[in-house]
Amino acid sequence: MAVSPKVVNIHPVVLFSIVDSYERRTDENARVIGTLLGTNIQGVVEVTNCFCVPHNESEDEVAVDMEFAKNMFELHKKVNSWENIVGWYATGSDITGHSVLIHDYYSRECQNPVHVTVDTTLTDFSLSVKTWVRQNMGVPDKSQGTVFIPMPMKITCHQPERVAMDALLRGKDPHKKTMDMNSDLEYVSKSAGKLQDMLSSVLNYVDDILSGKISADNQIGRFLMNLVANVPRLQRDEFDEMLNNSMKDLLMVVYLSGLIETQLTLNEKLTLSHAANSV
């Protein structure tokens, strides 16, 4: 049984897909809707994928292509078997009466579905993303109603997604048509620089508290204690030895990869030469 959602984590690829489906919509559709895929583990909803669902909407009725939604979900399950339906999305900032009807359909597909609204009108030049869950209200055995309650939400991403996002941010200059990808060493150096800056900020914050410049925050203190406790305690010699051993293994793999590539190239040329002489 799925636990009631407590927080919703949305990956960037989901937002890109929603915006893309909105840009590709037909002229008669004011908004687009779709299915959200991911996991719901102990109330933490992780939205990792989505797909658009065709629908027609008017003032009096709404029609959703449920057969298309089922077929698309079956195709997605063949590729990512761990992804399940966790809710649905709609563009726009408003929750209409039709949203209740669409939510009823997804309530049959999964327990406690979440609803994500994406304001593609870019009000205040920002892409507003909100998450909702439905809750019934009213008097028992009498009139009943439905209300959508906002949920905590944050944008999260895996490491490969973060690399892609950094690449997209570097290419936002409209005057630059091409963009060079950072090498592995450059990316490691950049990440190490960011880590050093964050450590400096933490040290300055602790120094300010100890000197009495700012008041202490118990929640931040507990977070820092947990962070320090999770760092393995290694002596300098042990750390240097571990790093050197890892570097030796990496250089060996790089050397073997280059040697194999050279061997394959040489074998290919010898094969072509032998074939040419035979003719």
Side-chain angles (χ1 to χ4, degrees), residues 177-217:
K177 301 300 182 182
T178 60
M179 180 189 63
D180 298 329
M181 295 296 294
N182 290 337
S183 64
D184 293 340
L185 184 59
E186 290 174 343
Y187 186 77
V188 171
S189 177
K190 185 177 179 181
S191 299
K194 288 183 178 180
L195 180 60
Q196 186 175 3
D197 293 339
M198 289 187 289
L199 289 175
S200 299
S201 299
V202 172
L203 291 175
N204 292 334
Y205 174 77
V206 174
D207 291 339
D208 290 341
I209 292 178
L210 294 177
S211 61
K213 293 182 179 179
I214 58 177
S215 59
D217 189 321

Coordinates of all heavy atoms in Angstrom, one line a residue, residues 177-217:
K177 N 27.3 30.0 -30.7 CA 26.7 29.0 -31.4 C 27.2 27.6 -31.0 O 26.4 26.6 -31.1 CB 26.8 29.2 -32.9 CG 26.3 30.5 -33.4 CD 24.8 30.6 -33.2 CE 24.2 31.9 -33.7 NZ 22.8 32.1 -33.4
T178 N 28.4 27.5 -30.6 CA 29.0 26.2 -30.3 C 29.5 26.2 -28.8 O 29.7 27.3 -28.3 CB 30.2 25.8 -31.2 OG1 31.2 26.8 -31.1 CG2 29.7 25.7 -32.7
M179 N 29.6 25.1 -28.3 CA 30.1 25.0 -26.9 C 30.9 23.7 -26.7 O 30.6 22.7 -27.2 CB 28.9 24.9 -26.0 CG 29.2 24.8 -24.5 SD 27.7 24.4 -23.5 CE 27.3 22.8 -24.2
D180 N 32.1 23.9 -26.1 CA 33.0 22.8 -25.9 C 32.7 22.2 -24.6 O 32.5 22.8 -23.6 CB 34.5 23.3 -25.9 CG 34.9 23.9 -27.2 OD1 34.3 23.5 -28.2 OD2 35.7 24.9 -27.2
M181 N 32.7 20.8 -24.6 CA 32.5 20.1 -23.4 C 33.8 20.0 -22.5 O 34.9 20.0 -23.0 CB 32.1 18.6 -23.7 CG 30.7 18.5 -24.4 SD 29.4 19.1 -23.4 CE 29.4 17.9 -22.1
N182 N 33.6 20.1 -21.2 CA 34.7 20.0 -20.3 C 35.3 18.6 -20.3 O 34.6 17.6 -20.4 CB 34.3 20.5 -18.9 CG 34.0 21.9 -18.8 OD1 34.5 22.7 -19.6 ND2 33.2 22.3 -17.8
S183 N 36.6 18.5 -20.2 CA 37.2 17.2 -20.0 C 37.0 16.7 -18.6 O 36.5 17.4 -17.7 CB 38.7 17.3 -20.3 OG 39.4 18.2 -19.4
D184 N 37.3 15.4 -18.4 CA 37.1 14.9 -17.1 C 37.9 15.6 -16.0 O 37.4 15.8 -14.9 CB 37.5 13.4 -17.1 CG 36.5 12.5 -18.0 OD1 35.4 13.0 -18.2 OD2 36.9 11.4 -18.4
L185 N 39.2 15.9 -16.4 CA 40.0 16.6 -15.4 C 39.5 18.0 -15.1 O 39.5 18.4 -13.9 CB 41.4 16.7 -16.0 CG 42.5 17.3 -15.0 CD1 42.6 16.5 -13.8 CD2 43.9 17.3 -15.7
E186 N 39.0 18.7 -16.1 CA 38.4 20.0 -15.9 C 37.2 20.0 -15.0 O 37.0 20.8 -14.1 CB 38.1 20.7 -17.2 CG 39.3 21.1 -18.0 CD 38.9 21.6 -19.4 OE1 37.8 21.3 -19.8 OE2 39.8 22.2 -20.1
Y187 N 36.4 18.9 -15.2 CA 35.1 18.8 -14.4 C 35.5 18.5 -13.0 O 34.9 19.0 -12.0 CB 34.3 17.7 -15.0 CG 32.9 17.6 -14.3 CD1 31.9 18.5 -14.6 CD2 32.7 16.6 -13.4 CE1 30.7 18.4 -13.9 CE2 31.5 16.5 -12.7 CZ 30.5 17.4 -13.0 OH 29.3 17.3 -12.4
V188 N 36.5 17.6 -12.8 CA 36.9 17.3 -11.4 C 37.5 18.5 -10.7 O 37.2 18.8 -9.5 CB 38.0 16.2 -11.4 CG1 38.6 16.0 -10.0 CG2 37.3 14.9 -11.9
S189 N 38.3 19.3 -11.5 CA 38.8 20.6 -10.9 C 37.7 21.5 -10.5 O 37.8 22.2 -9.5 CB 39.8 21.2 -11.9 OG 40.3 22.4 -11.4
K190 N 36.7 21.7 -11.4 CA 35.6 22.6 -11.1 C 34.8 22.1 -9.9 O 34.4 22.9 -9.1 CB 34.7 22.7 -12.3 CG 33.6 23.7 -12.2 CD 32.8 23.8 -13.5 CE 31.7 24.8 -13.3 NZ 30.8 24.9 -14.6
S191 N 34.6 20.8 -9.8 CA 33.8 20.3 -8.7 C 34.6 20.5 -7.4 O 34.0 20.8 -6.3 CB 33.5 18.8 -8.9 OG 32.7 18.6 -10.1
A192 N 35.9 20.3 -7.5 CA 36.7 20.5 -6.3 C 36.7 21.9 -5.8 O 36.7 22.2 -4.6 CB 38.2 20.0 -6.5
G193 N 36.7 22.8 -6.8 CA 36.7 24.3 -6.5 C 35.3 24.6 -5.8 O 35.3 25.4 -4.8
K194 N 34.2 24.1 -6.3 CA 32.9 24.3 -5.7 C 32.9 23.7 -4.2 O 32.4 24.4 -3.3 CB 31.8 23.7 -6.5 CG 31.5 24.4 -7.8 CD 30.4 23.7 -8.5 CE 30.0 24.5 -9.8 NZ 28.9 23.8 -10.5
L195 N 33.5 22.5 -4.1 CA 33.5 21.9 -2.7 C 34.3 22.8 -1.8 O 33.9 23.0 -0.6 CB 34.1 20.5 -2.8 CG 34.2 19.7 -1.5 CD1 32.8 19.6 -0.9 CD2 34.8 18.4 -1.8
Q196 N 35.4 23.3 -2.3 CA 36.3 24.2 -1.4 C 35.5 25.5 -1.0 O 35.6 25.9 0.1 CB 37.6 24.5 -2.1 CG 38.6 25.3 -1.3 CD 39.9 25.5 -2.0 OE1 40.0 25.1 -3.1 NE2 40.9 26.1 -1.3
D197 N 34.8 26.0 -2.0 CA 34.0 27.2 -1.6 C 33.0 27.0 -0.6 O 32.7 27.8 0.3 CB 33.4 27.8 -2.9 CG 34.4 28.3 -3.9 OD1 35.6 28.6 -3.5 OD2 34.1 28.4 -5.1
M198 N 32.3 25.8 -0.7 CA 31.2 25.5 0.3 C 31.8 25.2 1.6 O 31.3 25.6 2.7 CB 30.5 24.2 -0.2 CG 29.5 24.5 -1.4 SD 28.5 23.1 -1.9 CE 29.7 22.0 -2.5
L199 N 33.0 24.6 1.7 CA 33.7 24.3 3.0 C 34.1 25.7 3.6 O 34.0 25.9 4.8 CB 34.9 23.4 2.8 CG 34.6 22.0 2.5 CD1 35.9 21.2 2.2 CD2 33.8 21.3 3.6
S200 N 34.5 26.6 2.8 CA 34.9 27.9 3.3 C 33.7 28.6 3.9 O 33.8 29.3 4.9 CB 35.6 28.7 2.2 OG 36.7 28.1 1.7
S201 N 32.6 28.5 3.2 CA 31.3 29.2 3.7 C 30.9 28.6 5.0 O 30.5 29.3 5.9 CB 30.2 29.0 2.7 OG 30.6 29.7 1.4
V202 N 31.0 27.3 5.2 CA 30.7 26.6 6.4 C 31.6 27.0 7.5 O 31.2 27.3 8.7 CB 30.7 25.1 6.2 CG1 30.5 24.4 7.6 CG2 29.6 24.6 5.3
L203 N 32.9 27.1 7.2 CA 33.9 27.5 8.3 C 33.6 28.9 8.7 O 33.7 29.3 9.9 CB 35.3 27.3 7.7 CG 35.8 25.9 7.5 CD1 37.1 25.8 6.9 CD2 35.8 25.1 8.8
N204 N 33.4 29.8 7.7 CA 33.1 31.2 8.1 C 31.8 31.3 8.9 O 31.7 32.1 9.9 CB 32.9 32.0 6.8 CG 34.2 32.2 6.1 OD1 35.3 32.1 6.6 ND2 34.1 32.4 4.7
Y205 N 30.8 30.5 8.6 CA 29.6 30.5 9.4 C 29.8 30.1 10.8 O 29.4 30.7 11.8 CB 28.5 29.6 8.7 CG 27.3 29.4 9.5 CD1 26.3 30.4 9.6 CD2 27.1 28.2 10.3 CE1 25.1 30.2 10.3 CE2 25.9 28.0 11.0 CZ 24.9 29.0 11.0 OH 23.8 28.9 11.7
V206 N 30.6 29.0 11.0 CA 31.0 28.5 12.3 C 31.8 29.5 13.1 O 31.5 29.8 14.3 CB 31.7 27.2 12.3 CG1 32.2 26.7 13.6 CG2 30.8 26.1 11.6
D207 N 32.7 30.2 12.4 CA 33.5 31.2 13.1 C 32.7 32.4 13.6 O 32.9 32.9 14.6 CB 34.6 31.7 12.2 CG 35.7 30.6 11.9 OD1 35.8 29.7 12.7 OD2 36.4 30.7 10.9
D208 N 31.7 32.8 12.8 CA 30.8 33.9 13.1 C 30.0 33.5 14.3 O 29.7 34.4 15.2 CB 29.9 34.3 11.9 CG 30.7 34.9 10.8 OD1 31.8 35.4 11.1 OD2 30.2 34.9 9.7
I209 N 29.6 32.3 14.4 CA 28.8 31.9 15.6 C 29.7 31.9 16.9 O 29.3 32.4 17.9 CB 28.2 30.5 15.4 CG1 27.1 30.5 14.3 CG2 27.6 29.9 16.7 CD1 26.5 29.2 14.0
L210 N 30.9 31.3 16.7 CA 31.8 31.3 17.9 C 32.2 32.7 18.3 O 32.4 32.9 19.6 CB 33.0 30.5 17.5 CG 32.8 29.0 17.2 CD1 34.1 28.3 16.8 CD2 32.2 28.3 18.5
S211 N 32.3 33.6 17.4 CA 32.7 35.0 17.8 C 31.5 35.8 18.3 O 31.7 36.9 18.7 CB 33.4 35.7 16.6 OG 32.5 35.8 15.5
G212 N 30.3 35.3 18.1 CA 29.1 36.0 18.6 C 28.5 36.9 17.6 O 27.6 37.7 17.9
K213 N 29.0 36.9 16.3 CA 28.4 37.8 15.3 C 27.0 37.5 14.9 O 26.2 38.4 14.7 CB 29.3 37.8 14.1 CG 30.7 38.4 14.3 CD 31.5 38.4 13.0 CE 32.9 39.0 13.3 NZ 33.8 39.0 12.0
I214 N 26.7 36.2 14.9 CA 25.3 35.8 14.6 C 24.9 34.7 15.6 O 25.7 34.1 16.3 CB 25.3 35.2 13.1 CG1 26.2 34.0 13.0 CG2 25.5 36.2 12.1 CD1 26.1 33.3 11.6
S215 N 23.6 34.6 15.7 CA 23.1 33.6 16.6 C 23.1 32.2 16.0 O 23.0 32.0 14.8 CB 21.6 34.0 17.0 OG 20.8 34.0 15.9
A216 N 23.2 31.2 16.9 CA 23.3 29.8 16.4 C 21.9 29.3 16.0 O 20.9 29.7 16.6 CB 23.9 28.9 17.5
D217 N 21.9 28.4 15.0 CA 20.7 27.7 14.6 C 20.8 26.3 14.9 O 21.7 25.6 14.4 CB 20.4 27.9 13.1 CG 19.1 27.5 12.6 OD1 18.6 26.4 13.1 OD2 18.5 28.1 11.7

